[in-house]
Amino acid sequence: DTEVTQTPKHLVMGMTNKKSLKCEQHMGHRAMYWYKQKAKKPPELMFVYSYEKLSINESVPSRFSPECPNSSLLNLHLHALQPEDSALYLCASSQEPTSGLVLYEQFFGPGTRLTVL
Amino acid sequence: KQEVTQIPAALSVPEGENLVLNCSFTDSAIYNLQWFRQDPGKGLTSLLLIQSSQREQTSGRLNASLDKSSGRSTLYIAASQPGDSATYLCAVTFGNEKLTFGTGTRLTIIP
């Protein structure tokens, strides 16, 4: 199974809501990633988890809170978002963590289209 | 600053033609380079991964090359089909160990 799944596919939320995005992979990968992609722009890295520990945090605002309950799951908790946070949120995984000399192919999920009103 | 550039931003090609997409990067000290395609509003599909020690990779009608010394990679698509229409993204892993994406080339294959 070479698939990364993300739920929900679409999410509309108000600025006072609390919601969560979910990502799951069953490829035995030990590194998982959250990216944010605005329209007509490339993805921007937000967080990296290696062996279920946060290894990279690209100075993302605290209204985004990642969580990695186990090696197959990655959540992104959202609270008090702003309209400019509306974007496609992509999850990815790779075979090994990004540290080290041999780096592996990243596999992406279909994304969650988030709209903040 | 480590940057990845893709030119042109958009390309239209008649069906059946072969085509080349370009990617350039500013730092030759890379770990690997990955080509993706993205359909509108969808996630990224990995096409090919080239490790820094490799010169090229092939998958079906796709061939990707890597020239670290000149900071360039190309994605060659043979016998293009309308289903190849998508945005193609090049992404490089530099020494800081994260993927840096180019801005993409939007490819349209004209039937």
Side-chain angles (χ1 to χ4, degrees):
Chain A
D1 184 4
T2 57
E3 189 180 48
V4 178
T5 59
Q6 290 186 244
T7 56
K9 290 185 179 179
H10 303 276
L11 178 63
V12 179
M13 60 186 291
M15 290 189 285
T16 58
N17 293 156
K18 286 185 181 181
K19 297 287 184 182
S20 296
L21 309 184
K22 297 185 185 302
C23 175
E24 187 169 9
Q25 57 87 12
H26 293 290
M27 294 179 277
H29 290 174
R30 303 312 301 267
M32 296 186 75
Y33 314 77
W34 279 116
Y35 289 84
K36 173 183 178 180
Q37 186 179 25
K38 301 284 280 186
K40 300 189 187 302
K41 298 289 187 182
E44 297 177 349
L45 183 67
M46 301 174 72
F47 303 104
V48 180
Y49 271 82
S50 298
Y51 292 104
E52 301 151 43
K53 289 184 169 30
L54 185 64
S55 66
I56 294 178
N57 178 340
E58 292 291 313
S59 301
V60 177
S62 60
R63 56 186 185 268
F64 295 92
S65 174
E67 176 198 17
C68 191
N70 60 57
S71 60
S72 299
L73 294 172
L74 184 65
N75 299 321
L76 187 63
H77 302 298
L78 314 172
H79 175 55
L81 295 193
Q82 303 297 311
E84 60 264 29
D85 296 322
S86 298
L88 180 68
Y89 287 84
L90 295 164
C91 173
S93 69
S94 66
Q95 186 173 349
E96 291 290 341
T98 53
S99 60
L101 293 178
V102 180
L103 298 166
Y104 294 88
E105 188 174 5
Q106 287 194 22
F107 294 88
F108 281 75
T112 294
R113 173 71 60 190
L114 175 67
T115 302
V116 182
L117 301 176
Chain B
K1 183 180 178 183
Q2 294 162 333
E3 294 183 342
V4 181
T5 305
Q6 292 182 251
I7 295 174
L11 180 66
S12 293
V13 174
E15 180 180 0
E17 287 197 2
N18 303 326
L19 63 99
V20 175
L21 303 179
N22 297 300
C23 173
S24 60
F25 44 93
T26 54
D27 186 347
S28 62
I30 70 170
Y31 284 140
N32 60 34
L33 184 147
Q34 198 167 349
W35 281 94
F36 296 91
R37 70 170 279 169
Q38 186 173 31
D39 294 290
K42 304 294 186 184
L44 278 65
T45 299
S46 178
L47 298 173
L48 289 164
L49 171 73
I50 308 179
Q51 299 288 359
S52 62
S53 59
Q54 298 173 322
R55 296 297 299 270
E56 66 176 335
Q57 283 285 343
T58 299
S59 176
R61 294 184 293 111
L62 306 179
N63 177 276
S65 69
L66 175 63
D67 184 344
K68 287 194 302 180
S69 62
S70 65
R72 295 175 63 184
S73 175
T74 60
L75 180 67
Y76 174 84
I77 302 178
S80 58
Q81 302 170 357
D84 295 330
S85 297
T87 295
Y88 289 79
L89 292 159
C90 164
V92 177
T93 302
F94 294 109
N96 61 358
E97 303 174 346
K98 66 176 185 178
L99 275 183
T100 300
F101 282 86
T103 49
T105 295
R106 189 173 68 254
L107 176 65
T108 302
I109 304 302
I110 305 166

